[in-house]
Amino acid sequence: LTVAAAVGAAAARHDARPGGPALLDLLGRLLETALATGALATVWVVCRRGRSEHRLDRRLDAHLVRRLPLAALTLLVLTLVYAGWERPGWTSSGRLPGDLTFGGIALAQGALVISLAVVAAALHRGSTGDPEGRAALRGLGGPAVATLACALGGVMSGGVSQRVSDWLDGTGTSLAGPPVLLTWQASVIPALLLVQLALCALLGRRVWLLTRAEQAAVAREYDTGPGDPARTRRIARARAMATLTDRGPLLVAVTAATTLLLGAGALVGAFTTGTTPQRAAVSAHPLVRGAAETGQALGSWLIGLGFLLFVTWGRRAYKDASARRTIGILWDVGTFWPRAAHPFAPPCYAERAVPDLTWRMATWTRATGGRLVISGHSQGSVLAAAAAWQLQPADRRRVALLTYGSPIERLYGRWFPAHFGPAALTALHEEIACWRNLYRLTDPIGGPVRLSGDDCGPQVDHPPLADPLAYGRTARHPLPAPILGHSDYQADPAFALERERLLGRLRPEMPPQRPRPEEPQAPAAAEA
């Protein structure tokens, strides 16, 4: 529908002039009415299909939803036929209608982001669920990510428009170019990259200083003395690199703020001058004019390069296991939340996984009367906590929670404090039988839960696990122990020890497990 509107608007405007062909004028008005109707129907369908957390939605797609894509495609074909009809004496000139549209979209996005920031700041200020100030960007994480999403959409559309316009108009004499706003946005990209490079340099220097400080800590913990400098440096570097996760909010904040300021500058430049940066700087100093031309050209090519890298990375996920694993992590985090949080993304898997896990836990404890330790690694720890929250209080007291490599506080607690903040995690700690969390200093994803054991039971966090398990060769480790980071927590002896301790700490008055009728000897406990 968008393409049809862009193609048909110019022809309809020409046919509406006095003295134009009446038949084409009528067809143009009918097509414009049909396109407006299709746009309204699309918006209505999207709003109507919003999910709710308070009712079960078993409705199938209506006839309108199923037929809307075919109707839009039909309108596009009719519009192309209408616009391609021969009109004697009419030649195309100037720009396609869209400059004002692009500017309006950018202005509306900026206004929405600022409104989101005001609301988020007010909600965070009035909330008591973050007494230590651990929330990312003081509650402004959502508006910052929304800013980056809008900028990414602008960059992708700008890159495609720039490259296609250059390809269609190799001589630069017949086409006026893409919308002015996209040219201004391309011109500010080099400045944004310079800010990014400066920030990366600062983070790199911090990692270098932290690596030097951690070398002394590694020597003390493993009691190695001089030891092997290369191995000590590798362990210290792994610890220092793992801390970069905690600097993620800083990176997002600087990038979002810079993007918002540069985007506002591009919008003002496009609206005030009405021309590209090069033409706006014609009368300026030659240095300014050269900078404008260089920035626009470099930004245009960088956008095209970024689009190619985006597509290449998607194709790489089919061949490279590491790339597929990275995309899978982002996919898991993004599609964990209900569909209301991301209506255009794939369906939420937690809406199926959490009720299924909750049902299995409740069924097993009720059928056997036994005890249950549910362990979760990484994203599995978030699923385990969500499932435990859904249990009935009587069932919840029979369950112990063992998490390891868990992002439940380090990532979820900071970016989603209303759901995984200190108040929510403290309530979960009070309501389940017991909880133990394992983490490593070399883990870039998992971290401590940061719940003290004064008010609601024993300490949740285990002291940081040794990684590697041994510094040098030992009888148990004849080969140099690898630095595991986020993986293979169950290989650590502390895992089995803490699991047994959890079973022992479950309520002593809990009746012993009853054997099932079909199983004369059932295990004393189970791990999910």
Side-chain angles (χ1 to χ4, degrees):
L1 290 174
T2 304
V3 175
V7 172
R13 186 165 58 245
H14 176 268
D15 295 335
R17 294 176 179 177
L23 178 59
L24 290 180
D25 184 18
L26 177 61
L27 291 177
R29 295 180 185 277
L30 290 177
L31 279 176
E32 287 183 332
T33 303
L35 290 173
T37 304
L40 292 176
T42 303
V43 174
W44 181 83
V45 166
V46 171
C47 297
R48 185 69 179 85
R49 287 166 58 85
R51 297 300 195 263
S52 172
E53 300 298 313
H54 304 291
R55 58 181 174 81
L56 188 62
D57 186 3
R58 296 186 180 274
R59 295 173 301 169
L60 299 176
D61 289 340
H63 293 289
L64 174 63
V65 178
R66 294 199 300 268
R67 295 174 180 174
L68 191 59
L70 180 60
L73 184 61
T74 302
L75 280 177
L76 175 59
V77 173
L78 293 176
T79 303
L80 292 177
V81 173
Y82 162 74
W85 198 271
E86 183 179 359
R87 293 171 175 83
W90 182 46
T91 58
S92 61
S93 62
R95 299 176 181 273
L96 287 174
D99 278 353
L100 187 61
T101 302
F102 274 100
I105 291 175
L107 183 61
Q109 288 176 341
L112 286 174
V113 166
I114 294 175
S115 302
L116 282 174
V118 172
V119 173
L123 290 175
H124 183 262
R125 190 181 299 112
S127 173
T128 59
D130 185 33
E132 300 179 3
R134 290 277 299 169
L137 307 182
R138 297 186 178 276
L140 297 179
V145 174
T147 303
L148 297 180
C150 295
L152 181 62
V155 165
M156 292 294 105
S157 60
V160 173
S161 300
Q162 290 277 355
R163 297 273 62 80
V164 171
S165 63
D166 291 342
W167 173 62
L168 291 176
D169 189 27
T171 61
T173 57
S174 58
L175 293 181
V180 174
L181 179 60
L182 294 183
T183 306
W184 279 90
Q185 289 177 342
S187 301
V188 301
I189 286 179
L192 178 61
L193 291 181
L194 289 177
V195 174
Q196 291 287 310
L197 290 176
L199 181 59
C200 291
L202 291 176
L203 293 178
R205 183 176 182 273
R206 183 183 182 279
V207 169
W208 178 69
L209 294 176
L210 189 58
T211 299
R212 296 183 59 184
E214 286 291 338
Q215 290 182 24
V218 170
R220 287 194 306 269
E221 292 176 13
Y222 287 96
D223 194 18
T224 60
D228 182 0
R231 180 149 176 89
T232 302
R233 188 164 48 251
R234 283 195 297 271
I235 299 173
R237 186 184 299 113
R239 293 185 179 185
M241 292 295 292
T243 62
L244 289 178
T245 302
D246 301 319
R247 297 292 172 178
L250 174 63
L251 182 63
V252 172
V254 173
T255 306
T258 307
T259 301
L260 186 62
L261 292 176
L262 293 178
L267 188 62
V268 171
F271 277 165
T272 55
T273 65
T275 60
T276 61
Q278 304 96 307
R279 295 184 180 179
V282 167
S283 60
H285 190 274
L287 182 62
V288 177
R289 185 167 61 252
E293 294 176 355
T294 303
Q296 194 278 326
L298 182 59
S300 175
W301 282 104
L302 287 175
I303 291 177
L305 178 61
F307 183 79
L308 292 178
L309 291 177
F310 185 79
V311 175
T312 303
W313 188 266
R315 290 180 57 86
R316 183 187 171 196
Y318 290 94
K319 301 178 180 179
D320 188 356
S322 61
R324 185 162 55 249
R325 184 164 50 250
T326 302
I327 295 177
I329 293 173
L330 298 176
W331 188 284
D332 281 348
V333 174
T335 56
F336 168 78
W337 297 102
R339 197 71 180 273
H342 48 82
F344 302 109
C348 168
Y349 68 90
E351 292 179 345
R352 301 183 301 275
V354 171
D356 179 72
L357 183 57
T358 302
W359 178 83
R360 294 172 64 183
M361 294 164 61
T363 302
W364 193 89
T365 53
R366 293 172 185 174
T368 64
R371 305 167 296 171
L372 179 68
V373 172
I374 176 170
S375 69
H377 172 249
S378 192
Q379 183 71 11
S381 65
V382 182
L383 290 173
W389 263 312
Q390 304 300 320
L391 290 171
Q392 296 295 327
D395 299 325
R396 200 176 297 140
R397 299 304 301 175
R398 299 172 180 264
V399 174
L401 191 59
L402 176 60
T403 57
Y404 43 101
S406 172
I408 195 170
E409 194 282 333
R410 192 178 189 180
L411 296 180
Y412 281 84
R414 298 190 67 186
W415 291 97
F416 310 101
H419 301 280
F420 291 93
L425 296 182
T426 300
L428 177 63
H429 187 199
E430 293 173 345
E431 293 168 0
I432 62 176
C434 41
W435 185 3
R436 196 63 162 163
N437 180 63
L438 311 178
Y439 68 99
R440 300 186 180 114
L441 296 179
T442 56
D443 190 343
I445 298 176
V449 179
R450 302 178 185 274
L451 293 180
S452 62
D454 299 334
D455 301 327
C456 50
Q459 184 77 24
V460 173
D461 290 320
H462 186 280
L465 302 180
D467 188 29
L469 291 174
Y471 184 87
R473 298 171 182 263
T474 63
R476 177 171 291 185
H477 302 280
L479 296 177
I483 301 175
L484 299 176
H486 186 60
S487 62
D488 215 3
Y489 271 83
Q490 296 184 1
D492 196 300
F495 178 85
L497 179 62
E498 291 300 327
R499 182 176 56 187
E500 293 301 323
R501 287 179 176 176
L502 284 177
L503 288 171
R505 280 164 46 187
L506 285 170
R507 294 168 57 183
E509 65 272 16
M510 187 73 63
Q513 176 179 323
R514 298 189 301 272
R516 297 183 181 183
E518 68 274 9
E519 297 179 359
Q521 296 294 332
E527 178 190 354

Short mmCIF file of all heavy atoms in Angstrom, two decimals, residues 443-465:
data_model
loop_
_atom_site.label_atom_id
_atom_site.label_comp_id
_atom_site.label_asym_id
_atom_site.label_seq_id
_atom_site.Cartn_x
_atom_site.Cartn_y
_atom_site.Cartn_z
N ASP A 443 32.23 -14.97 33.51
CA ASP A 443 30.98 -15.15 32.77
C ASP A 443 30.47 -13.79 32.31
O ASP A 443 30.15 -12.93 33.15
CB ASP A 443 29.95 -15.84 33.66
CG ASP A 443 28.72 -16.29 32.88
OD1 ASP A 443 28.52 -15.80 31.76
OD2 ASP A 443 27.97 -17.13 33.41
N PRO A 444 30.34 -13.55 31.01
CA PRO A 444 29.84 -12.25 30.55
C PRO A 444 28.33 -12.11 30.63
O PRO A 444 27.81 -11.01 30.40
CB PRO A 444 30.32 -12.18 29.10
CG PRO A 444 30.36 -13.60 28.67
CD PRO A 444 30.76 -14.40 29.88
N ILE A 445 27.60 -13.20 30.92
CA ILE A 445 26.14 -13.16 30.94
C ILE A 445 25.60 -13.36 32.34
O ILE A 445 24.77 -12.58 32.82
CB ILE A 445 25.57 -14.22 29.97
CG1 ILE A 445 26.01 -13.93 28.54
CG2 ILE A 445 24.05 -14.28 30.07
CD1 ILE A 445 25.56 -14.96 27.54
N GLY A 446 26.02 -14.42 33.01
CA GLY A 446 25.52 -14.71 34.34
C GLY A 446 26.20 -13.85 35.39
O GLY A 446 27.30 -13.33 35.21
N GLY A 447 25.52 -13.71 36.52
CA GLY A 447 26.05 -12.91 37.61
C GLY A 447 25.32 -13.19 38.90
O GLY A 447 24.42 -14.04 38.97
N PRO A 448 25.66 -12.47 39.96
CA PRO A 448 24.98 -12.69 41.25
C PRO A 448 23.55 -12.18 41.22
O PRO A 448 23.18 -11.30 40.42
CB PRO A 448 25.85 -11.89 42.23
CG PRO A 448 26.49 -10.83 41.39
CD PRO A 448 26.71 -11.45 40.05
N VAL A 449 22.74 -12.73 42.12
CA VAL A 449 21.36 -12.28 42.26
C VAL A 449 21.26 -11.09 43.21
O VAL A 449 20.30 -10.34 43.17
CB VAL A 449 20.48 -13.45 42.75
CG1 VAL A 449 19.03 -13.03 42.95
CG2 VAL A 449 20.53 -14.60 41.75
N ARG A 450 22.27 -10.94 44.09
CA ARG A 450 22.37 -9.80 45.01
C ARG A 450 21.22 -9.77 46.00
O ARG A 450 20.65 -8.71 46.27
CB ARG A 450 22.43 -8.49 44.22
CG ARG A 450 23.59 -8.41 43.25
CD ARG A 450 23.57 -7.10 42.47
NE ARG A 450 24.61 -7.08 41.45
CZ ARG A 450 25.86 -6.69 41.66
NH1 ARG A 450 26.21 -6.28 42.88
NH2 ARG A 450 26.75 -6.70 40.68
N LEU A 451 20.87 -10.92 46.56
CA LEU A 451 19.89 -11.00 47.62
C LEU A 451 20.59 -11.43 48.90
O LEU A 451 21.23 -12.47 48.94
CB LEU A 451 18.77 -12.00 47.28
CG LEU A 451 17.86 -11.63 46.10
CD1 LEU A 451 16.83 -12.72 45.89
CD2 LEU A 451 17.17 -10.30 46.35
N SER A 452 20.48 -10.61 49.92
CA SER A 452 21.10 -10.96 51.20
C SER A 452 20.28 -12.03 51.90
O SER A 452 19.11 -12.24 51.60
CB SER A 452 21.21 -9.72 52.09
OG SER A 452 19.93 -9.21 52.38
N GLY A 453 20.89 -12.70 52.84
CA GLY A 453 20.22 -13.78 53.55
C GLY A 453 19.71 -13.40 54.91
O GLY A 453 19.45 -14.26 55.74
N ASP A 454 19.56 -12.10 55.19
CA ASP A 454 19.16 -11.69 56.53
C ASP A 454 17.68 -11.87 56.79
O ASP A 454 17.27 -12.33 57.84
CB ASP A 454 19.54 -10.21 56.74
CG ASP A 454 21.04 -9.99 56.61
OD1 ASP A 454 21.79 -10.95 56.86
OD2 ASP A 454 21.44 -8.86 56.26
N ASP A 455 16.85 -11.50 55.80
CA ASP A 455 15.40 -11.43 56.03
C ASP A 455 14.64 -12.66 55.54
O ASP A 455 13.63 -13.02 56.12
CB ASP A 455 14.82 -10.18 55.37
CG ASP A 455 15.48 -8.90 55.90
OD1 ASP A 455 15.85 -8.90 57.09
OD2 ASP A 455 15.63 -7.94 55.12
N CYS A 456 15.10 -13.27 54.48
CA CYS A 456 14.26 -14.30 53.86
C CYS A 456 15.02 -15.60 53.65
O CYS A 456 14.81 -16.28 52.66
CB CYS A 456 13.72 -13.78 52.52
SG CYS A 456 14.96 -13.08 51.43
N GLY A 457 15.91 -15.94 54.54
CA GLY A 457 16.58 -17.22 54.45
C GLY A 457 18.07 -17.08 54.21
O GLY A 457 18.62 -15.98 54.26
N PRO A 458 18.73 -18.21 53.97
CA PRO A 458 20.18 -18.18 53.76
C PRO A 458 20.57 -17.38 52.52
O PRO A 458 19.75 -17.04 51.69
CB PRO A 458 20.54 -19.67 53.61
CG PRO A 458 19.38 -20.41 54.19
CD PRO A 458 18.19 -19.55 53.96
N GLN A 459 21.86 -17.11 52.42
CA GLN A 459 22.39 -16.36 51.29
C GLN A 459 22.11 -17.10 49.99
O GLN A 459 22.29 -18.31 49.88
CB GLN A 459 23.90 -16.19 51.47
CG GLN A 459 24.57 -15.34 50.42
CD GLN A 459 24.33 -13.86 50.63
OE1 GLN A 459 24.06 -13.43 51.73
NE2 GLN A 459 24.42 -13.09 49.56
N VAL A 460 21.68 -16.36 48.97
CA VAL A 460 21.37 -16.97 47.68
C VAL A 460 22.64 -17.19 46.88
O VAL A 460 22.86 -18.27 46.33
CB VAL A 460 20.37 -16.09 46.90
CG1 VAL A 460 20.19 -16.62 45.49
CG2 VAL A 460 19.03 -16.06 47.61
N ASP A 461 23.50 -16.20 46.80
CA ASP A 461 24.67 -16.28 45.94
C ASP A 461 25.78 -17.09 46.58
O ASP A 461 26.18 -16.85 47.72
CB ASP A 461 25.19 -14.87 45.62
CG ASP A 461 24.27 -14.10 44.71
OD1 ASP A 461 23.72 -14.72 43.78
OD2 ASP A 461 24.08 -12.88 44.92
N HIS A 462 26.25 -18.05 45.82
CA HIS A 462 27.47 -18.78 46.19
C HIS A 462 28.67 -17.88 45.88
O HIS A 462 28.62 -17.08 44.94
CB HIS A 462 27.53 -20.08 45.38
CG HIS A 462 28.65 -21.00 45.76
ND1 HIS A 462 29.95 -20.80 45.33
CD2 HIS A 462 28.67 -22.12 46.52
CE1 HIS A 462 30.71 -21.77 45.80
NE2 HIS A 462 29.96 -22.57 46.53
N PRO A 463 29.75 -17.98 46.64
CA PRO A 463 30.94 -17.21 46.25
C PRO A 463 31.35 -17.54 44.82
O PRO A 463 31.08 -18.64 44.32
CB PRO A 463 32.00 -17.67 47.26
CG PRO A 463 31.22 -18.12 48.45
CD PRO A 463 29.95 -18.71 47.90
N PRO A 464 31.97 -16.60 44.11
CA PRO A 464 32.31 -16.85 42.70
C PRO A 464 33.10 -18.14 42.52
O PRO A 464 34.05 -18.42 43.26
CB PRO A 464 33.15 -15.63 42.31
CG PRO A 464 32.74 -14.57 43.28
CD PRO A 464 32.40 -15.27 44.56
N LEU A 465 32.67 -18.95 41.56
CA LEU A 465 33.35 -20.20 41.28
C LEU A 465 34.70 -19.95 40.64
O LEU A 465 34.87 -18.98 39.87
CB LEU A 465 32.50 -21.08 40.37
CG LEU A 465 31.10 -21.44 40.86
CD1 LEU A 465 30.39 -22.32 39.84
CD2 LEU A 465 31.14 -22.13 42.21
#
